Amino acid sequence: MSDHDHDHESSAALSNRVKTLVAQLEQRDLLTEAKLDATVETFLLKATPANGGRVVARAWVDAAFKQRLLDDASAAVAEIGIDMSHWAPVKLRAVENTDREHNVIVCTLCSCYPIALLGPSPAWYKSAEYRSRTVREPRAVLAEFGVALPPDVRINVWDSTSELRYIVVPRRPQASEGLSEAELAALVTRDGLVGTALL
Amino acid sequence: MTARRFHIGDTVRTRAHGNGGHTRIPRYLRGRRGRIVALAGSFPLADDRARGVRDAQCTAVYSVRFDAVEVWGPECDANVTIAADLWESYLEPEHA
């Protein structure tokens, strides 16, 4: 899919808006630039798809953890030291792929995405094309990502319209027996966690 | 917050019209019949927050699943569902 279908503000205009906003917050003693830098750095350093990989690998090797993950994902990821709450009070839900059902995540209203578990979202996730077509013709969109699903596999699309964020628990790759949990985690890709790739 | 009006398994219909301002029910899901498949927490109504309502009350949010045919009509891929997380005030009871 192409990356940019929506209008982007020029980076100069955006940068000016951010500077103005930061200046206003500093004037009101709500923020210092140093504190802002520290927050952004800490958050971005911790926010990578490796977190999602750890969660999925644990679910593959530990059935009880997988059940807790599917029941209450925010609590389950906290068990392995991942904090979903960061600056917004979002909750996490995990949805599991099986041989009968495939899940895919989208945000049609904007671009909600579990950054803490996947890192910053790719440009295509935010594109008008992905956001509109994934709910209208998900099987065709997935085929364009190289995910060819037989017609009898049901596709469940999750549109993130409120304060829940979603991750997909992909099917464990065949021939992955005997791998360690860390090795399994390395097999998990960002797109697999969004549902736009198989592992 | 008050007791939840709906429960998992209930059939509901989304309201057909918005309130004229910001809302989090996507237009393509207005006036559609779906089923509650999960509870999705309790959060201040986004519509209120967008209007600057202070201390907006937390209200129940539900994960509502729609068959693609209900949303897009009989010509679409029938083996597709779409779920969205919708605040209680977006929903009306519907007989199954």
Side-chain angles (χ1 to χ4, degrees), chain A residues 100-106 132-143 149-159, chain B residues 28-29 33-35 64-84:
Chain A
R100 308 291 307 156
E101 296 191 31
H102 181 88
N103 297 282
V104 62
I105 311 306
V106 66
S132 56
R133 290 184 58 220
T134 298
V135 291
R136 184 69 181 85
E137 44 172 8
R139 209 173 298 270
V141 170
L142 291 174
L149 295 172
D152 64 331
V153 172
R154 185 166 84 171
I155 299 175
N156 296 319
V157 181
W158 300 88
D159 188 356
Chain B
Y28 77 96
L29 293 177
R33 194 181 62 175
R35 196 167 58 86
V64 184
R65 177 173 280 174
F66 303 86
D67 289 331
V69 170
E70 167 73 11
V71 178
W72 306 117
E75 300 299 312
C76 76
D77 184 340
N79 205 16
V80 166
T81 73
I82 303 152

Side-chain angles (χ1 to χ4, degrees), chain A residues 89-91 93 101 103 108-109 135-136 138-139 151-164 166, chain B residues 23-26 28 37-41 43 49 61 63 65 72 76-77 79-87:
Chain A
V90 294
K91 287 162 68 82
R93 177 177 294 151
E101 296 191 31
N103 297 282
T108 60
L109 294 177
V135 291
R136 184 69 181 85
R139 209 173 298 270
D152 64 331
V153 172
R154 185 166 84 171
I155 299 175
N156 296 319
V157 181
W158 300 88
D159 188 356
S160 316
T161 50
S162 177
E163 317 301 341
L164 275 186
Y166 288 86
Chain B
T23 189
R24 293 272 194 88
I25 175 166
Y28 77 96
V37 292
L39 306 180
F43 295 98
R49 281 170 52 207
V61 182
S63 298
R65 177 173 280 174
W72 306 117
C76 76
D77 184 340
N79 205 16
V80 166
T81 73
I82 303 152
D85 299 321
L86 302 174
W87 270 270

